[in-house]
Amino acid sequence: MVVALLTAAGIGSRMGQDIPKQFIHVNNKPLIVYTLEAFERHPSIDEIVIVTLPNWMDVVKAYASQFNITKLKAIVPGGDTGQESIHNGLMAIKEAHESDNPTVMIHDGNRCLVSSEIISNSLAVYKHHGSAVAAIPCVEAVFYSRDGGQSSTTSIPREQLYRTQTPHTYSLDKLLWAHEQAAEKGIENTAASCTLMQALGETVYFSKGAEKNMKITTTEDLDLFEVLLHTERTTWLK
């Protein structure tokens, strides 16, 4: 059993719009629906649970009906932080699967272009290592700054750096353990499950990510998303 847990409880302050970014429409379809459809289409995903803003839960339910999202099993209210929202989603999954330990694939609701290949590779790495975090190598020169980005005298070798994305795939039991440990140790506001696992001494195993698997947080990201929706790879490229 594989459950996709989509996080869509942010208010989207960096987007600066009147509605949360995950509900902005592009080509007459809200962003969250593009993400829902990606997991709906994948044959290895059995169920979808989404965590969203309490006042938008009925809207998500209506969208699921309108766009025929049949795998959506629960809509859960988010918490005050990303960590709390994920925990709320995990508890809903636990309630529905008391007698088993499903695989949970946590994914940002505003990463709308997650591919079937990324989902499949995440599951493959998880089966081999017991966890998987989508990541891509850093290709830019990176500097460390102590004065808020005004200057630097220290660079970090980019060959050693990886940018994490989602999905993050773990067993439900492992994720619940991590959140229990976080409560005991006072670890708060780790919106990324991989960051929480690392803070608890766990090894992070990387699965395939992609530049197109972008997180839409600004109006510039939204412009790029619209372009990518209508772009096909040149046929002669391998």
Side-chain angles (χ1 to χ4, degrees):
M1 170 68 68
V2 180
V3 182
L5 174 57
L6 305 187
T7 58
I11 61 173
S13 58
R14 282 177 287 182
M15 187 71 75
Q17 303 303 305
D18 294 331
I19 63 173
K21 57 183 175 294
Q22 57 270 34
F23 299 107
I24 292 174
H25 282 62
V26 175
N27 294 347
N28 297 315
K29 185 187 296 186
L31 293 179
I32 188 60
V33 171
Y34 286 97
T35 310
L36 284 164
E37 288 178 335
F39 288 92
E40 175 76 21
R41 289 191 299 264
H42 198 284
S44 295
I45 301 300
D46 299 299
E47 297 180 0
I48 302 171
V49 172
I50 185 168
V51 183
T52 193
L53 298 160
N55 292 339
W56 288 82
M57 293 171 67
D58 288 340
V59 175
V60 171
K61 184 178 181 180
Y63 285 152
S65 176
Q66 178 183 353
F67 292 95
N68 197 30
I69 307 298
T70 62
K71 293 180 182 179
L72 183 61
K73 302 303 180 185
I75 305 170
V76 181
D80 293 333
T81 66
Q83 183 174 319
E84 288 183 18
S85 293
I86 291 172
H87 184 257
N88 290 355
L90 295 174
M91 295 306 293
I93 296 170
K94 179 183 178 182
E95 184 176 350
H97 296 276
E98 291 184 355
S99 60
D100 57 2
N101 180 29
T103 300
V104 178
M105 183 175 288
I106 302 173
H107 187 71
D108 298 319
N110 55 334
R111 289 190 190 272
C112 309
L113 291 175
V114 59
S115 66
S116 177
E117 183 181 7
I118 287 173
I119 295 172
S120 294
N121 186 255
S122 183
L123 289 171
V125 172
Y126 165 76
K127 288 178 181 178
H128 188 69
H129 292 290
S131 67
V133 173
I136 56 177
C138 184
V139 296
E140 297 91 354
V142 179
F143 282 77
Y144 175 75
S145 176
R146 297 178 181 272
D147 57 9
Q150 297 182 52
S151 64
S152 175
T153 59
T154 306
S155 64
I156 304 173
R158 64 185 181 186
E159 296 82 6
Q160 301 175 13
L161 299 177
Y162 286 79
R163 293 156 50 201
T164 62
Q165 303 178 325
T166 60
H168 300 165
T169 304
Y170 293 87
S171 69
L172 175 61
D173 284 352
K174 186 69 173 182
L175 287 164
L176 289 173
W177 167 83
H179 281 262
E180 289 168 1
Q181 289 292 303
E184 290 180 11
K185 298 177 184 296
I187 301 173
E188 299 177 346
N189 202 22
T190 57
S193 296
C194 60
T195 304
L196 175 55
M197 290 294 183
Q198 182 272 329
L200 295 172
E202 296 293 310
T203 299
V204 176
Y205 292 98
F206 295 145
S207 60
K208 180 181 178 62
E211 291 287 356
K212 286 185 178 180
N213 186 31
M214 58 186 289
K215 188 174 184 180
I216 302 173
T217 58
T218 66
T219 53
E220 185 179 47
D221 296 333
L222 195 62
D223 292 338
L224 290 171
F225 172 69
E226 292 191 62
V227 171
L228 289 170
L229 274 180
H230 302 288
T231 302
E232 295 183 3
R233 176 174 288 183
T234 306
T235 55
W236 56 266
L237 287 174
K238 296 182 180 179

